[in-house]
Amino acid sequence: MPTAFRSLVWYAFMTEELALMPDDISPLIRTDIPHSARIWNYWMGGKDHFDVDRVAGDAGAEVDPDIVTMAVQSRQFLVRSVRHLASEAGVHQFLDIGTGLPTMQNTHEVAQSVAADSKIVYVDNDPMVLAHARALLTNTTPEGVTTYINCDYHEPEQIVAEAKNVLNFNQPIGVMFMGVLGHAHTYDDMRRIVSTVMDAVPSGSYLTLWDGTTDSQAYVTLCENYAKTGGVPYVPRPREEIRAVFDGLEMVSPGFVSITQWWADEDDQDLSEARPISAYGGVARKP
């Protein structure tokens, strides 16, 4: 399908979806400024992006070719970590904060394939993401629950309050921040956001988190260039600053590592992508 026609078809779909939303949010979707969620979707091989996102995505991949690997492997990290929590740790509730655009093997699909009664609450405040969530983030099992909250992750107290309408905060919850905390205003703000949510969940809950690091100058340059396009800046941070977010929690093996090297079982390793990249994360249990 020609790019121009595909874009028109997608615009028509989005217009229809947005018309179903309770408020008129269609003016908030900018197709003239690249958007990180849409670019990420493009790098992952999705279809939910505009010409401006593809241009920005291609330019970014020229600066840092590893960014495509990072995008693809971030989803594999999500799959492995959610599967581990739902099967090995017995966690059947997930709070996925900063959801981004649905692609494939989303949190609810992975969790409910392991535990049919899993409840998943997605959180995002992007109008395009919310339109997708309404259309695509639906239960895969009769027993499960899949829903979303329209909220900015800079307001963690509100996220917790609204999540309590769906999740049981007396039972363990898997809290997820998957490659989104670079949008936090400051490092202290990043720590505040995570700690506020983790303070609210009970013992036996888990934090699953990854983010891009400053290990790679190419990745740092990519983020700097993206900020110049008018998109919301994304700030890579040193590895030790991201690791510090897990302070007070019990790291699950293999610990805080490159996302290409985290697995729930050695048999799950994708050996072709085992080399480290500048994206680190892990899974940790709240005592």
Side-chain angles (χ1 to χ4, degrees), residues 103-261:
T103 50
M104 70 292 289
Q105 294 182 292
N106 299 291
T107 300
H108 72 288
E109 294 169 319
V110 178
Q112 291 170 358
S113 72
V114 175
D117 63 341
S118 293
K119 296 180 180 179
I120 291 82
V121 174
Y122 291 105
V123 181
D124 213 299
N125 71 329
D126 182 271
M128 189 170 185
V129 169
L130 295 175
H132 276 75
R134 167 163 289 185
L136 301 176
L137 298 182
T138 57
N139 278 352
T140 59
T141 62
E143 306 93 329
V145 174
T146 306
T147 188
Y148 62 89
I149 295 172
N150 179 4
C151 189
D152 188 333
Y153 78 22
H154 290 92
E155 301 173 354
E157 294 86 358
Q158 181 181 344
I159 291 174
V160 169
E162 296 196 28
K164 286 182 176 179
N165 294 325
V166 179
L167 305 180
N168 180 355
F169 273 63
N170 294 315
Q171 297 294 325
I173 295 171
V175 177
M176 302 167 62
F177 291 92
M178 307 299 274
V180 298
L181 288 173
H183 286 310
H185 300 318
T186 64
Y187 176 66
D188 288 342
D189 208 30
M190 180 180 80
R191 294 291 300 268
R192 176 189 65 84
I193 291 165
V194 176
S195 64
T196 298
V197 178
M198 292 308 296
D199 286 347
V201 298
S203 173
S205 294
Y206 286 80
L207 172 64
T208 302
L209 180 154
W210 78 268
D211 225 299
T213 66
T214 56
D215 297 65
S216 166
Q217 182 56 49
Y219 176 64
V220 173
T221 301
L222 180 154
C223 293
E224 292 172 347
N225 290 346
Y226 173 71
K228 296 174 184 177
T229 68
V232 179
Y234 200 88
V235 181
R237 294 189 167 91
R239 195 187 308 178
E240 58 271 19
E241 290 190 356
I242 298 173
R243 171 61 179 83
V245 176
F246 290 100
D247 286 353
L249 305 177
E250 301 168 347
M251 296 297 302
V252 172
S253 177
F256 183 74
V257 295
S258 171
I259 58 173
T260 58
Q261 299 180 313

Side-chain angles (χ1 to χ4, degrees), residues 81-98:
S81 59
V82 171
R83 183 181 295 138
H84 170 74
L85 291 180
S87 60
E88 301 299 322
V91 175
H92 296 174
Q93 301 186 108
F94 294 85
L95 183 57
D96 188 340
I97 301 174

